[in-house]
Amino acid sequence: MRYTLRLLTLDQLARASGLVCALELEREADPDRYGQWPFEIGLWVGKAATPNFMGKRGERTSDSARAKTRRFKANPRGNPSPIPLENCPWCGSRFEAASFNLLPNDDEPKELRVACTNFDCEFSERPLPIVAVDESIYRRLPAFLIATVDKFASLPWRAETGALLGGADRYDASGFYGPAEPRSGTRLPRSIGAPDLVIQDELHLISGSTSRVSG
């Protein structure tokens, strides 16, 4: 789904995340029917709202997932959440410092895991199915992806993004690999297909060649 305004995008994330949480609980209850890979929702909107990369110890940037997570953990009331959600989309509990964890370690993280700190929530012991770091999106290929049109415009400039439109044919425990990474992972029985549905909302807000072509 492509949204032109960031606030519309974030609102859509808050509403759609609850749906994806429900889908993931259904999948866990019947993995033989729905598959072993989790249903996840991704937010692909640019570094002003979500980190482009995980980061590592010794970095000199302040906008990585590692840097944002460490700032939030040190002062949850004085810093924004590492992802543009303040509350658990399943139970509504406010995220706390313990809600965000860098895995497998803090020095060279490969994943930002989000969980609810409300012990009565279904997602207190299992991670929330939310992917909001660009590097992880290219690897996890979420079933539901919310993006801004400017991120779609970046597709020709970064090879890994091509897998979002199909063609990934290898995998490992961390995710999937497309033609841009030919030596990684184990081959799948068949390559992953293209998205089943792409929705362009608020089309009247886009001017120029995009609106003429899409219209």
Side-chain angles (χ1 to χ4, degrees), residues 104-146:
N105 58 68
D106 187 86
D107 289 345
E108 293 190 12
K110 303 297 182 184
E111 176 187 359
L112 173 59
R113 183 167 293 181
V114 187
C116 185
T117 54
N118 174 10
F119 292 116
D120 294 327
C121 180
E122 295 279 4
F123 292 91
S124 63
E125 296 186 1
R126 57 169 63 84
L128 282 158
I130 299 171
V131 185
V133 182
D134 286 12
E135 283 184 344
S136 298
I137 286 173
Y138 307 147
R139 183 71 58 240
R140 305 285 300 178
L141 303 182
F144 192 133
L145 182 65
I146 298 174

Side-chain angles (χ1 to χ4, degrees), residues 5 10 21 48 58 96 108 111 127-128 131 158 170 177 182 195 211:
L5 297 180
L10 300 184
C21 285
E96 300 178 4
E108 293 190 12
E111 176 187 359
L128 282 158
V131 185
R158 179 152 187 165
R170 279 154 290 110
Y177 302 90
S211 61

Side-chain angles (χ1 to χ4, degrees), residues 41-196:
I41 184 168
L43 183 64
W44 193 39
V45 296
K47 66 181 181 180
T50 59
N52 285 349
F53 58 96
M54 290 302 305
K56 61 183 178 180
R57 185 177 182 180
E59 65 189 359
R60 296 183 179 181
T61 181
S62 61
D63 57 4
S64 70
R66 179 180 184 271
K68 290 185 174 184
T69 302
R70 285 170 62 86
R71 284 198 301 273
F72 183 76
K73 281 180 168 291
N75 183 8
R77 294 188 177 183
N79 290 294
S81 165
I83 66 172
L85 283 178
E86 300 292 339
N87 302 294
C88 172
W90 188 246
C91 74
S93 298
R94 190 168 182 81
F95 286 139
E96 300 178 4
S99 299
F100 302 95
N101 291 287
L102 297 163
L103 300 175
N105 58 68
D106 187 86
D107 289 345
E108 293 190 12
K110 303 297 182 184
E111 176 187 359
L112 173 59
R113 183 167 293 181
V114 187
C116 185
T117 54
N118 174 10
F119 292 116
D120 294 327
C121 180
E122 295 279 4
F123 292 91
S124 63
E125 296 186 1
R126 57 169 63 84
L128 282 158
I130 299 171
V131 185
V133 182
D134 286 12
E135 283 184 344
S136 298
I137 286 173
Y138 307 147
R139 183 71 58 240
R140 305 285 300 178
L141 303 182
F144 192 133
L145 182 65
I146 298 174
T148 48
V149 71
D150 58 327
K151 293 300 287 189
F152 268 72
S154 72
L155 282 167
W157 308 105
R158 179 152 187 165
E160 303 98 300
T161 64
L164 296 173
L165 300 180
D169 58 0
R170 279 154 290 110
Y171 76 102
D172 60 20
S174 65
F176 301 93
Y177 302 90
E181 300 166 287
R183 295 180 177 84
S184 301
T186 301
R187 188 166 293 279
L188 289 163
R190 62 180 182 274
S191 62
I192 296 175
D196 294 313

